[in-house]
Amino acid sequence: HIHCLIAAKKVAQATKSDYIHFEIEEADSAFYLTTMEPEKIAITDAKVAEYINTAKDCGYTITFLKSEKAPMCGGKFPLGIFVVEKQQFESGVKFEDMMEKSDIHLVATPAFLEERSDEVQKLYQDLIDETMATRNTVVKVFDAPANLVQKSGAQVLQFAAFDVDRTGRAYISEINECFRSHNVEPKRFYVDSFANGIVTYTCFFDPTFQGEALEKLAQTLRYVSHFKHNPRKSGLVWELVLNNKITPEHAIFLITAAKFIFSFFPKETEEYLALADYFKSDPSKKSELDTLFRDTMANAITYERIYDALTSTMSYSTY
């Protein structure tokens, strides 16, 4: 990894660029390194998410670390490192039998239990218990235990959500977008999956991030599992949230409104009904009319147009 970093820095110097990146992907682990320019780190986020999607029959852990300074002299952006490891659960574990289990000694991988102290396991156990009790996304912000951080006053944000279908959904891109849009980025974070379908984030923030900034971030994260990145559809709503033009609650309303409009928008106009009545005794003409009507409405009432209208209205109303 050190040799790869040196080589990447040499390439950046030769091309007169601050951008450094490389990735190593193997069957059971992956390593990603990149300078944290917003556009560039998003590419790495997507690669990590794609790799995690292959972890359907096992657990996984993601460790993220951010450097204190830029790697290049005069550089603007620090380095970000993602280390991803696939981990096996106890042999014989059946995921369908774990869905109602909350005991961390049953739902965690042996590697997790071996690597984490009893104190850290207690933090995870409390988070899992709360998630199982509410059956919903849980976000908690609290003072970091002194023995887990170097700086007094550091904060911890924990996030937990369900990946019930075990699709490897870690929300890595969505959560990192939230960090960047709120301008609140953790020094390090850890992502862990459990056999009951829960995925957790444990994020450590420097003391400079306190109070309102973290609370706003937590409020957005509570809705992360409800968002999709469908281009020209719900992705437009998510962009408004990330740009702080609407709240996550507003976004859920808009997505629901789009589904309602698409489902219940009046599709049978007076003109169509009149023509349908006129051709009711001629099945072939009626069939041609219906085909023409369906094609016309399919182009007129689409999710893309609905989302575009809703988000354009919201964008204008914020100015």
Side-chain angles (χ1 to χ4, degrees), residues 19-312:
Y19 180 43
I20 297 175
H21 80 286
F22 68 85
E23 56 267 350
I24 302 172
E25 293 184 345
E26 298 177 344
D28 296 323
S29 64
F31 182 91
Y32 305 86
L33 180 147
T34 181
T35 42
M36 296 186 64
E37 301 171 60
E39 298 81 6
K40 305 298 186 182
I41 189 68
I43 296 173
T44 301
D45 291 344
K47 290 182 178 180
V48 174
E50 184 177 358
Y51 182 81
I52 287 298
N53 284 338
T54 65
K56 291 182 172 59
D57 299 319
C58 61
Y60 59 83
T61 180
I62 304 171
T63 300
F64 169 80
L65 302 171
K66 185 179 75 171
S67 68
E68 289 281 357
K69 299 179 181 179
M72 305 287 288
C73 182
K76 298 179 181 179
F77 302 99
L79 276 178
I81 294 174
F82 294 88
V83 180
V84 186
E85 294 181 347
K86 296 179 183 178
Q87 298 179 341
Q88 298 301 318
F89 292 102
E90 286 283 4
S91 60
V93 166
K94 296 181 179 179
F95 296 132
E96 59 270 21
D97 296 336
M98 293 289 108
M99 299 305 295
E100 301 299 323
K101 304 295 184 182
S102 60
D103 187 343
I104 198 168
H105 294 93
L106 295 177
V107 299
T109 64
F112 176 94
L113 297 173
E114 181 180 347
E115 295 168 1
R116 311 299 169 92
S117 67
D118 291 343
E119 180 183 10
V120 171
Q121 288 184 35
K122 177 65 166 56
L123 293 176
Y124 280 89
Q125 183 66 73
D126 292 344
L127 182 63
I128 290 173
D129 287 342
E130 188 171 345
T131 307
M132 292 293 288
T134 61
R135 297 290 175 172
N136 206 344
T137 299
V138 172
V139 184
K140 303 166 66 174
V141 178
F142 54 91
D143 293 334
N147 61 320
L148 297 181
V149 294
Q150 295 179 334
K151 298 179 181 179
S152 176
Q155 298 285 293
V156 174
L157 182 149
Q158 279 194 308
F159 165 91
F162 277 102
D163 178 23
V164 177
D165 297 327
R166 306 199 58 77
T167 58
R169 185 75 188 277
Y171 306 104
I172 189 78
S173 294
E174 294 89 338
I175 288 178
N176 280 330
E177 284 178 356
C178 289
F179 292 153
R180 291 189 288 272
S181 68
H182 285 269
N183 198 27
V184 180
E185 293 189 348
K187 185 71 176 175
R188 54 190 167 102
F189 66 72
Y190 307 91
V191 185
D192 296 278
S193 69
F194 297 89
N196 56 5
I198 290 177
V199 177
T200 66
Y201 274 72
T202 301
C203 312
F204 290 83
F205 294 88
D206 279 342
T208 51
F209 299 116
Q210 296 283 339
E212 185 177 359
L214 284 181
E215 287 302 328
K216 286 184 176 180
L217 172 63
Q219 181 67 8
T220 300
L221 289 176
R222 287 185 176 93
Y223 295 89
V224 158
S225 61
H226 296 284
F227 288 106
K228 296 180 180 179
H229 279 66
N230 293 334
R232 299 178 60 197
K233 296 180 183 178
S234 54
L236 296 175
V237 177
W238 183 235
E239 286 298 320
L240 292 178
V241 175
L242 295 179
N243 292 328
N244 295 314
K245 292 183 177 180
I246 62 173
T247 67
E249 293 91 339
H250 291 149
I252 298 298
F253 175 83
L254 288 179
I255 292 173
T256 304
K259 293 179 179 179
F260 181 89
I261 293 169
F262 184 82
S263 299
F264 295 101
F265 188 88
K267 296 181 173 64
E268 295 182 343
T269 64
E270 292 183 7
E271 292 82 359
Y272 166 78
L273 293 174
L275 288 171
D277 183 65
Y278 181 80
F279 290 122
K280 64 182 179 181
S281 59
D282 189 337
S284 63
K285 294 293 185 183
K286 177 63 165 56
S287 177
E288 291 178 9
L289 173 65
D290 289 342
T291 299
L292 178 62
F293 180 75
R294 283 194 299 270
D295 291 344
T296 302
M297 294 307 296
N299 293 325
I301 307 299
T302 65
Y303 271 117
E304 288 84 352
R305 288 191 171 187
I306 293 171
Y307 274 112
D308 182 63
L310 289 173
T311 55
S312 296

